[in-house]
Amino acid sequence: ANKVVRANYSGDTGMHVAKWIWCYKKYHSKERIKGDESWIASIYVDASKRLSEKEDLQEEVNKINEKLENRTDKKLNELWKKTRKLSIDSWKRIYNEINTKFDKYYFESEMEKRGKEISYELLKKGIAKRSDGAVIMDFKEQNLGVWVLLRKDDTVLYSAKDLALAEEKSKRYHPDRNILVHGSEQNLHFQQLFKTLELMGYEREKFTDVSFDLVRLPTGKMSSRTGENILYSDFIKEITDYAKEQIAKRERKISKKELEERALAISIAAIKYSMLKQDSRKVIVFDKKESLNFEGDTGSYLLYSYARACSIIRKAKRKTKKDFSHSEISVQEFELLKKLSQFPDVVLDSYKALNSSMIANYSYELAQKFNGFYHSCKVIGDKNENFRLSLVEALKYVLKNSLNLLGIETVERM
């Protein structure tokens, strides 16, 4: 097995941060700074709106960006540190809730100094060049356009920071393979990055990227600039409230704590599965109503199938014997057995293709086969009970593992 290091790279500096700080200082400084998602987002929306209406204000933002980079303004640095911490605390809470973790957190601010040094080194070696005062990589002959490393004022762009990040990861971990996951609007950027790293002496075959297309609502594109987006805090509340209603219908005597925990697990499964089942290279449409459906190709349906298997095993109240004798295997039993046997191949194919939708689609097909079996074959009290119980246990084991690979936690009761 390969040792995997999960690294997270966050943009805690750059023009988007300068825009936010500029807008807060100039138009919202009387407001109390708080770690509230919607408040933080509203300042950025306001900044984008003001800058689009009056373009010459960008010069003020540029000056703030320059000061943030050279760390000369003490008050500005304090404001940056304070708001940065609120943001980090906020998304760490979200990562914890959606059950994801990282072994290493990298930040753009840590890469600025070295990114600038690398840019000057590339300039000195004749690999990069000056154009209108900026430091660029000219890839027009390779049909990859121009990649800007430093602006005219010599402030560093995230392109140069990505070079510093590649160097840092290479020195620390010596990876055989770097898999960079990014949004599809950055496809060209990563081609330019890999080309530059190649010119710097890195082995090209060690770098792979996995591109995810935009997540859209059925109504269209989400945008943090215009505010046409869904905030996680609002969205997770909406889904968990719905899940609580569904659970309460099925189970009257449930504690508040158990209700909260189960509703959250079902909600996270609904969100993750609805995105991971789609081809990452195509636009991912997130349909809230569809993802909340407890029937059909949804995370809720898969959890329900798993809980149903758990229920059968609980009702059987005994451990299976090792005698798997069977008078005659039915079509439904055979179909389920065949689907269970495909799991190792699906996992391997998914790894080779770096495509999570293959495991997601397999999980759904497996749940369908199980539900076909459940409706056609009596388990408890049947003459083939032991065999069928073993089949249910195998299903429970494989479905749990396949969902686990998608980062989805199972629940024993729905």
Side-chain angles (χ1 to χ4, degrees):
N2 294 325
K3 183 179 185 251
V4 178
V5 177
R6 295 169 65 156
N8 183 319
Y9 184 45
S10 299
D12 63 337
T13 59
M15 199 52 79
H16 61 295
V17 176
K19 278 182 190 177
W20 192 97
I21 286 179
W22 163 79
C23 188
Y24 173 76
K25 274 173 66 67
K26 189 162 182 172
Y27 304 104
H28 300 270
S29 59
K30 287 186 172 68
E31 295 173 34
R32 186 175 64 83
I33 292 172
K34 49 188 183 283
D36 175 67
E37 250 184 290
S38 56
W39 179 78
I40 292 170
S42 70
I43 304 271
Y44 187 69
V45 171
D46 189 37
S48 299
K49 186 172 173 284
R50 289 177 189 276
L51 290 163
S52 65
E53 286 167 0
K54 205 174 176 191
E55 284 181 20
D56 58 348
L57 289 171
Q58 182 62 42
E59 198 47 51
E60 295 176 18
V61 181
N62 293 347
K63 282 186 179 131
I64 282 183
N65 187 49
E66 209 173 332
K67 283 179 182 175
L68 283 170
E69 190 176 303
N70 59 35
R71 311 275 196 271
T72 51
D73 189 319
K74 198 182 170 190
K75 275 192 174 176
L76 205 62
N77 285 349
E78 280 169 14
L79 177 60
W80 173 72
K81 279 180 187 171
K82 190 175 182 179
T83 51
R84 176 185 184 272
K85 186 179 185 305
L86 286 172
S87 290
I88 291 169
D89 290 347
S90 180
W91 50 248
K92 278 195 176 175
R93 277 196 303 273
I94 294 169
Y95 287 153
N96 187 49
E97 199 164 272
I98 63 174
N99 189 34
T100 196
K101 64 184 191 313
F102 296 93
D103 304 304
K104 176 68 182 167
Y105 287 93
Y106 286 111
F107 293 93
E108 275 194 42
S109 57
E110 299 166 344
M111 303 299 151
E112 279 177 345
K113 187 170 178 286
R114 183 62 191 138
K116 192 178 273 195
E117 286 169 3
I118 290 171
S119 302
Y120 291 143
E121 285 166 18
L122 291 174
L123 200 58
K124 204 173 176 182
K125 288 174 184 171
I127 296 170
K129 65 181 186 183
R130 285 267 182 198
S131 174
D132 292 333
V135 176
I136 67 156
M137 295 295 295
D138 187 349
F139 293 131
K140 289 199 282 286
E141 283 182 20
Q142 292 92 334
N143 292 319
L144 292 175
V146 167
W147 203 44
V148 185
L149 301 175
L150 303 179
R151 297 184 185 90
K152 285 179 189 177
D153 59 8
D154 266 17
T155 52
V156 63
L157 281 150
Y158 66 89
S159 45
K161 295 176 206 173
D162 273 3
L163 295 172
L165 178 66
E167 181 186 74
E168 173 60 32
K169 286 194 290 188
S170 181
K171 281 179 177 173
R172 179 167 178 157
Y173 297 108
H174 309 288
D176 299 309
R177 199 174 184 202
N178 293 269
I179 302 168
L180 292 95
V181 182
H182 61 87
S184 61
E185 67 275 22
Q186 298 293 331
N187 284 350
L188 175 61
H189 167 83
F190 280 92
Q191 284 177 283
Q192 294 166 327
L193 169 66
F194 296 156
K195 188 70 194 163
T196 306
L197 289 171
E198 206 180 309
L199 294 170
M200 288 168 68
Y202 287 88
E203 293 172 61
R204 174 64 184 88
E205 61 274 13
K206 285 190 174 183
F207 293 87
T208 314
D209 63 323
V210 176
S211 168
F212 271 80
D213 213 317
L214 293 171
V215 175
R216 292 178 188 261
L217 303 172
T219 51
K221 185 181 172 181
M222 286 193 265
S223 168
S224 53
R225 287 183 181 84
T226 61
E228 286 294 314
N229 54 6
I230 293 178
L231 293 175
Y232 172 81
S233 51
D234 297 336
F235 182 59
I236 198 69
K237 185 183 182 305
E238 202 172 319
I239 291 202
T240 47
D241 285 350
Y242 177 84
K244 280 178 200 171
E245 281 174 33
Q246 298 300 311
I247 295 163
K249 281 179 193 172
R250 291 177 170 82
E251 208 171 324
R252 301 280 179 206
K253 295 175 184 176
I254 185 170
S255 72
K256 195 181 174 189
K257 185 175 182 286
E258 172 67 15
L259 182 65
E260 293 280 347
E261 285 175 5
R262 207 186 301 175
L264 183 63
I266 291 166
S267 304
I268 298 300
I271 295 166
K272 285 186 177 180
Y273 182 78
S274 68
M275 294 192 190
L276 293 173
K277 74 177 182 179
Q278 300 179 62
D279 185 342
S280 68
R281 293 160 299 180
K282 294 176 183 170
V283 169
I284 297 168
V285 177
F286 188 87
D287 189 323
K288 184 173 62 188
K289 283 183 183 171
E290 189 195 314
S291 77
L292 294 172
N293 195 341
F294 275 49
E295 291 171 18
D297 189 6
T298 66
S300 311
Y301 170 74
L302 296 181
L303 290 192
Y304 190 66
S305 302
Y306 179 81
R308 177 173 272 170
C310 292
S311 174
I312 294 169
I313 291 161
R314 272 198 309 274
K315 282 174 187 167
K317 289 180 182 170
R318 66 174 182 81
K319 289 185 178 177
T320 54
K321 297 169 192 165
K322 288 189 177 173
D323 170 25
F324 299 138
S325 58
H326 198 312
S327 52
E328 191 182 346
I329 289 181
S330 69
V331 172
Q332 288 81 10
E333 287 169 318
F334 178 74
E335 287 291 319
L336 180 53
L337 276 166
K338 192 167 80 171
K339 186 53 74 175
L340 285 165
S341 71
Q342 291 166 3
F343 182 55
D345 291 333
V346 170
V347 173
L348 189 60
D349 290 345
S350 172
Y351 165 69
K352 285 176 183 171
L354 296 176
N355 185 348
S356 59
S357 69
M358 293 163 81
I359 292 173
N361 294 332
Y362 169 80
S363 304
Y364 175 56
E365 287 164 14
L366 180 63
Q368 281 184 309
K369 297 293 181 196
F370 169 63
N371 285 304
F373 158 81
Y374 172 80
H375 289 299
S376 304
C377 305
K378 183 184 175 187
V379 178
I380 299 166
D382 187 81
K383 62 179 178 178
N384 297 312
E385 178 181 322
N386 193 53
F387 174 80
R388 288 181 175 174
L389 213 46
S390 301
L391 204 49
V392 174
E393 285 197 324
L395 170 280
K396 183 186 163 187
Y397 180 77
V398 173
L399 187 56
K400 187 183 180 80
N401 282 341
S402 65
L403 290 174
N404 180 257
L405 288 171
L406 298 172
I408 294 171
E409 284 192 83
T410 49
V411 290
E412 301 257 324
R413 287 180 167 86
M414 288 289 277

